[in-house]
């Protein structure tokens, strides 16, 4: 474009702007002349191709055109330069997302469990991670020769202080602080000397449950089974059933180990349940009369059941997590998949 052509174009543009009589027309002219891809910016960009001697005069003329066009547009009510650029933006473009965190799978299992047992009248009890021998062992009818008392199985701090090996001491604390009936669950951390591998960790979580009632409302193993069956369905899905296998715990009599039917293969046998159709999830049983004596309850007057779930166990089967260590690495690439 020569200088003359530029002056002509400028005159034409000012005329057009002057003649524009609605906002849309003004906006169209703004885009045409001064907008990001308009004529004037294009001329500025093309300055390098203008012969050197003509460049100063040409540049000056372009700047004058821009100033006059903008003034004319502004007089017609077009946005100022800044606002004009903003209108150029694509308003349909999605905004910037701030990603929301998700709850850790262990937290989710604990919260969900509290909600499920809450519907059955259980409240949440709490106890310390640092326990004494009486609460963790003696009152739970655990004899001194029991392996879990051994230094190689338990984190001891002196003779009477240890990191609790189970959440069962909260049974003792709850009964010593309350008259029957009691109905509590207690989620929390537990500790055992253990080498870590895909299914073991020295620090893991349990959910303890305890229900004790008075003579007029005797508690039976059938009550225990129905509560755990309800929990299994709520937690793992409607088709899941429970199975009791005879077992031994010092503080329950009779004692059982609790299996859920495999929610993946529906009991047929698969990799998740190691082809057995069942997955072990808890220990349980009827509270041993000797435990009642230790906490000052009369075993002739009360009866009750207790159970203890492994939280990691439930999380791993519920979410299909093959390695317990993934639960402790806090790798967001893993955790965010479980949102
Ligand atoms: N405390 C037992 C364990 O850690 C589980 C359990 C709890 C068994 C309550 C019976 C009753 O293995």
């Amino acid at each position: 474009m020569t200088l003359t052509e530029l002056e002509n174009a400028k005159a034409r543009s000012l005329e057009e702007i002057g003649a524009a009589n609605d906002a849309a027309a003004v906006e169209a002219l703004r885009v045409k002349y001064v907008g990001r891809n308009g004529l004037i910016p294009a001329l500025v960009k093309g300055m390098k191709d203008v012969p050197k001697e003509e460049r100063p005069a040409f540049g000056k003329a372009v700047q004058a055109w821009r100033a006059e066009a903008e003034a004319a547009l502004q007089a017609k009510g077009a946005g100022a330069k800044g606002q004009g650029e903003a209108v150029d933006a694509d308003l349909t473009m999605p905004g910037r997302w701030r990603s929301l965190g998700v709850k850790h799978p262990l937290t989710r299992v604990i919260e969900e469990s509290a909600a499920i047992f809450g519907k059955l009248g259980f409240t949440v009890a709490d106890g310390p991670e640092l326990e004494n021998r009486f609460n963790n062992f003696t009152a739970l009818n655990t004899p001194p020769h029991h392996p879990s008392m051994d230094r190689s199985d338990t984190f001891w701090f002196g003779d009477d202080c240890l990191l609790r090996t189970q959440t069962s001491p909260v049974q003792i604390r709850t009964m010593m602080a309350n008259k029957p009936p009691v109905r509590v669950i207690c989620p929390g951390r537990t500790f055992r000397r253990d080498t870590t591998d895909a299914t073991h960790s020295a620090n893991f979580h349990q959910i303890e449950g305890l229900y004790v009632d008075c003579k007029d409302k005797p508690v039976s193993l059938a009550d225990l089974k129905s509560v755990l069956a309800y929990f299994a369905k709520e937690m793992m899905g409607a088709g899941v059933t429970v199975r009791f296998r005879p077992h031994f715990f010092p503080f329950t009599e009779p004692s059982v180990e609790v299996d859920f039917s495999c929610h993946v293969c529906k009991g047929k046998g698969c990799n998740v349940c190691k082809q057995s159709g069942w997955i072990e999830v808890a220990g349980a049983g009827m509270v041993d009369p000797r435990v009642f004596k230790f906490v000052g309850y009369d075993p002739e007057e009360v009866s009750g059941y207790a159970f203890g779930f492994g939280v990691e166990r439930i999380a791993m089967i519920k979410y299909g997590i093959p390695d317990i260590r993934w639960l402790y690495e806090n790798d967001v690439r893993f955790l965010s998949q479980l949102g």
Side-chain angles (χ1 to χ4, degrees), residues 16 25 34 70 84 96 113 125 139 146 175 206 222 228 235 254 262 270 301 303-304 325 333:
E16 280 174 24
V34 301
E70 275 172 1
R96 283 197 195 127
S113 303
H146 193 278
M175 288 191 279
Q206 290 186 330
L228 295 184
M235 183 57 92
C262 181
C270 68
E301 296 295 321
S303 55
R325 290 166 290 200
R333 289 170 304 178

mmCIF file of all heavy atoms in Angstrom, residues 16 25 34 70 84 96 113 125 139 146 175 206 222 228 235 254 262 270 301 303-304 325 333:
data_model
loop_
_atom_site.group_PDB
_atom_site.id
_atom_site.type_symbol
_atom_site.label_atom_id
_atom_site.label_comp_id
_atom_site.label_asym_id
_atom_site.label_seq_id
_atom_site.Cartn_x
_atom_site.Cartn_y
_atom_site.Cartn_z
ATOM 1 N N GLU A 16 -16.952 5.304 6.954
ATOM 2 C CA GLU A 16 -17.766 4.135 7.325
ATOM 3 C C GLU A 16 -18.155 4.198 8.804
ATOM 4 O O GLU A 16 -19.303 3.951 9.175
ATOM 5 C CB GLU A 16 -16.994 2.834 7.062
ATOM 6 C CG GLU A 16 -17.010 2.399 5.600
ATOM 7 C CD GLU A 16 -16.101 1.189 5.366
ATOM 8 O OE1 GLU A 16 -15.850 0.432 6.334
ATOM 9 O OE2 GLU A 16 -15.638 1.022 4.225
ATOM 10 N N ALA A 25 -22.837 -2.762 13.824
ATOM 11 C CA ALA A 25 -22.055 -2.195 12.719
ATOM 12 C C ALA A 25 -20.750 -1.596 13.240
ATOM 13 O O ALA A 25 -19.687 -1.780 12.640
ATOM 14 C CB ALA A 25 -22.891 -1.129 12.000
ATOM 15 N N VAL A 34 -9.348 -2.100 13.655
ATOM 16 C CA VAL A 34 -8.365 -2.092 14.739
ATOM 17 C C VAL A 34 -8.315 -3.401 15.520
ATOM 18 O O VAL A 34 -7.473 -3.569 16.400
ATOM 19 C CB VAL A 34 -8.586 -0.914 15.722
ATOM 20 C CG1 VAL A 34 -8.488 0.414 14.990
ATOM 21 C CG2 VAL A 34 -9.927 -1.044 16.438
ATOM 22 N N GLU A 70 -9.672 4.774 16.240
ATOM 23 C CA GLU A 70 -10.104 4.408 17.596
ATOM 24 C C GLU A 70 -10.952 5.508 18.221
ATOM 25 O O GLU A 70 -11.964 5.226 18.878
ATOM 26 C CB GLU A 70 -8.889 4.094 18.481
ATOM 27 C CG GLU A 70 -8.454 2.638 18.317
ATOM 28 C CD GLU A 70 -7.142 2.317 19.010
ATOM 29 O OE1 GLU A 70 -6.564 3.225 19.653
ATOM 30 O OE2 GLU A 70 -6.702 1.165 18.898
ATOM 31 N N GLY A 84 -12.154 -3.754 24.072
ATOM 32 C CA GLY A 84 -12.302 -4.291 22.720
ATOM 33 C C GLY A 84 -11.566 -5.605 22.588
ATOM 34 O O GLY A 84 -12.102 -6.574 22.076
ATOM 35 N N ARG A 96 -10.637 -22.125 33.659
ATOM 36 C CA ARG A 96 -9.585 -22.971 34.252
ATOM 37 C C ARG A 96 -10.169 -23.733 35.418
ATOM 38 O O ARG A 96 -10.801 -23.159 36.282
ATOM 39 C CB ARG A 96 -8.444 -22.100 34.759
ATOM 40 C CG ARG A 96 -7.591 -21.629 33.636
ATOM 41 C CD ARG A 96 -6.254 -21.130 34.128
ATOM 42 N NE ARG A 96 -5.662 -20.386 33.046
ATOM 43 C CZ ARG A 96 -5.207 -19.142 33.154
ATOM 44 N NH1 ARG A 96 -5.251 -18.536 34.312
ATOM 45 N NH2 ARG A 96 -4.711 -18.539 32.118
ATOM 46 N N SER A 113 -18.231 -47.285 56.719
ATOM 47 C CA SER A 113 -18.544 -48.259 57.776
ATOM 48 C C SER A 113 -19.285 -47.584 58.919
ATOM 49 O O SER A 113 -20.275 -48.129 59.443
ATOM 50 C CB SER A 113 -17.261 -48.898 58.323
ATOM 51 O OG SER A 113 -16.537 -49.506 57.292
ATOM 52 N N ALA A 125 -16.577 -45.030 68.896
ATOM 53 C CA ALA A 125 -15.745 -44.819 70.094
ATOM 54 C C ALA A 125 -14.302 -44.639 69.649
ATOM 55 O O ALA A 125 -13.932 -45.001 68.533
ATOM 56 C CB ALA A 125 -15.855 -46.012 71.029
ATOM 57 N N ALA A 139 -6.861 -57.763 80.078
ATOM 58 C CA ALA A 139 -8.319 -57.738 80.177
ATOM 59 C C ALA A 139 -8.961 -58.420 78.977
ATOM 60 O O ALA A 139 -10.143 -58.782 79.009
ATOM 61 C CB ALA A 139 -8.808 -56.298 80.298
ATOM 62 N N HIS A 146 1.191 -65.762 75.103
ATOM 63 C CA HIS A 146 0.636 -65.555 73.761
ATOM 64 C C HIS A 146 1.663 -64.846 72.875
ATOM 65 O O HIS A 146 2.328 -63.908 73.319
ATOM 66 C CB HIS A 146 -0.641 -64.704 73.847
ATOM 67 C CG HIS A 146 -1.441 -64.716 72.571
ATOM 68 N ND1 HIS A 146 -1.139 -63.909 71.511
ATOM 69 C CD2 HIS A 146 -2.520 -65.464 72.202
ATOM 70 C CE1 HIS A 146 -2.008 -64.147 70.530
ATOM 71 N NE2 HIS A 146 -2.853 -65.083 70.928
ATOM 72 N N MET A 175 -16.272 -50.550 77.887
ATOM 73 C CA MET A 175 -17.063 -51.209 78.944
ATOM 74 C C MET A 175 -16.727 -50.653 80.317
ATOM 75 O O MET A 175 -17.597 -50.529 81.176
ATOM 76 C CB MET A 175 -16.839 -52.724 78.881
ATOM 77 C CG MET A 175 -17.525 -53.357 77.665
ATOM 78 S SD MET A 175 -17.561 -55.159 77.707
ATOM 79 C CE MET A 175 -15.921 -55.554 77.112
ATOM 80 N N GLN A 206 -7.904 -51.074 61.752
ATOM 81 C CA GLN A 206 -8.998 -52.004 62.034
ATOM 82 C C GLN A 206 -10.255 -51.216 62.384
ATOM 83 O O GLN A 206 -10.180 -50.043 62.753
ATOM 84 C CB GLN A 206 -8.646 -52.901 63.235
ATOM 85 C CG GLN A 206 -7.554 -53.909 62.953
ATOM 86 C CD GLN A 206 -7.350 -54.876 64.120
ATOM 87 O OE1 GLN A 206 -7.562 -54.535 65.272
ATOM 88 N NE2 GLN A 206 -6.938 -56.095 63.801
ATOM 89 N N ALA A 222 -26.231 -65.523 66.218
ATOM 90 C CA ALA A 222 -27.096 -65.230 65.071
ATOM 91 C C ALA A 222 -27.227 -63.712 64.868
ATOM 92 O O ALA A 222 -27.260 -63.225 63.738
ATOM 93 C CB ALA A 222 -28.473 -65.853 65.269
ATOM 94 N N LEU A 228 -23.315 -58.648 60.488
ATOM 95 C CA LEU A 228 -22.200 -58.691 59.538
ATOM 96 C C LEU A 228 -22.689 -58.945 58.110
ATOM 97 O O LEU A 228 -22.121 -58.432 57.147
ATOM 98 C CB LEU A 228 -21.176 -59.748 59.969
ATOM 99 C CG LEU A 228 -20.475 -59.441 61.301
ATOM 100 C CD1 LEU A 228 -19.407 -60.479 61.603
ATOM 101 C CD2 LEU A 228 -19.861 -58.040 61.305
ATOM 102 N N MET A 235 -21.662 -52.742 52.148
ATOM 103 C CA MET A 235 -20.307 -52.333 51.778
ATOM 104 C C MET A 235 -19.903 -52.866 50.412
ATOM 105 O O MET A 235 -19.304 -52.156 49.611
ATOM 106 C CB MET A 235 -19.328 -52.809 52.863
ATOM 107 C CG MET A 235 -17.889 -52.406 52.658
ATOM 108 S SD MET A 235 -17.650 -50.614 52.519
ATOM 109 C CE MET A 235 -17.318 -50.121 54.182
ATOM 110 N N PRO A 254 -17.838 -68.641 71.597
ATOM 111 C CA PRO A 254 -16.964 -69.149 70.547
ATOM 112 C C PRO A 254 -16.395 -68.019 69.687
ATOM 113 O O PRO A 254 -16.924 -66.909 69.671
ATOM 114 C CB PRO A 254 -17.912 -70.023 69.715
ATOM 115 C CG PRO A 254 -19.253 -69.420 69.917
ATOM 116 C CD PRO A 254 -19.254 -68.922 71.336
ATOM 117 N N CYS A 262 -16.985 -63.834 47.497
ATOM 118 C CA CYS A 262 -16.231 -62.956 46.592
ATOM 119 C C CYS A 262 -17.188 -62.152 45.708
ATOM 120 O O CYS A 262 -18.003 -62.720 44.973
ATOM 121 C CB CYS A 262 -15.277 -63.772 45.728
ATOM 122 S SG CYS A 262 -14.307 -62.743 44.625
ATOM 123 N N CYS A 270 -11.944 -66.972 41.619
ATOM 124 C CA CYS A 270 -11.216 -66.111 40.681
ATOM 125 C C CYS A 270 -9.897 -65.700 41.334
ATOM 126 O O CYS A 270 -9.555 -66.179 42.415
ATOM 127 C CB CYS A 270 -12.063 -64.882 40.320
ATOM 128 S SG CYS A 270 -12.305 -63.741 41.704
ATOM 129 N N GLU A 301 -25.213 -61.621 83.916
ATOM 130 C CA GLU A 301 -26.212 -60.585 83.647
ATOM 131 C C GLU A 301 -26.157 -60.028 82.228
ATOM 132 O O GLU A 301 -27.108 -59.390 81.762
ATOM 133 C CB GLU A 301 -26.040 -59.413 84.635
ATOM 134 C CG GLU A 301 -26.289 -59.751 86.087
ATOM 135 C CD GLU A 301 -27.749 -60.146 86.331
ATOM 136 O OE1 GLU A 301 -28.649 -59.522 85.736
ATOM 137 O OE2 GLU A 301 -27.991 -61.106 87.098
ATOM 138 N N SER A 303 -24.615 -60.329 77.928
ATOM 139 C CA SER A 303 -24.013 -61.121 76.854
ATOM 140 C C SER A 303 -23.739 -60.167 75.698
ATOM 141 O O SER A 303 -24.335 -59.082 75.615
ATOM 142 C CB SER A 303 -24.953 -62.249 76.407
ATOM 143 O OG SER A 303 -26.217 -61.711 76.048
ATOM 144 N N GLY A 304 -22.827 -60.563 74.822
ATOM 145 C CA GLY A 304 -22.502 -59.646 73.727
ATOM 146 C C GLY A 304 -21.586 -60.278 72.698
ATOM 147 O O GLY A 304 -21.072 -61.379 72.885
ATOM 148 N N ARG A 325 0.868 -51.484 49.858
ATOM 149 C CA ARG A 325 1.780 -50.335 49.941
ATOM 150 C C ARG A 325 1.257 -49.133 49.163
ATOM 151 O O ARG A 325 1.561 -47.997 49.479
ATOM 152 C CB ARG A 325 3.177 -50.735 49.449
ATOM 153 C CG ARG A 325 3.873 -51.685 50.408
ATOM 154 C CD ARG A 325 5.073 -52.341 49.805
ATOM 155 N NE ARG A 325 4.696 -53.307 48.782
ATOM 156 C CZ ARG A 325 5.498 -54.295 48.368
ATOM 157 N NH1 ARG A 325 6.710 -54.427 48.867
ATOM 158 N NH2 ARG A 325 5.089 -55.140 47.441
ATOM 159 N N ARG A 333 -1.474 -39.968 41.414
ATOM 160 C CA ARG A 333 -1.898 -40.645 40.174
ATOM 161 C C ARG A 333 -2.747 -41.864 40.501
ATOM 162 O O ARG A 333 -3.663 -42.218 39.773
ATOM 163 C CB ARG A 333 -0.682 -41.076 39.355
ATOM 164 C CG ARG A 333 0.063 -39.928 38.718
ATOM 165 C CD ARG A 333 1.373 -40.390 38.135
ATOM 166 N NE ARG A 333 2.186 -41.053 39.159
ATOM 167 C CZ ARG A 333 3.378 -41.595 38.930
ATOM 168 N NH1 ARG A 333 3.896 -41.578 37.712
ATOM 169 N NH2 ARG A 333 4.045 -42.160 39.910
#
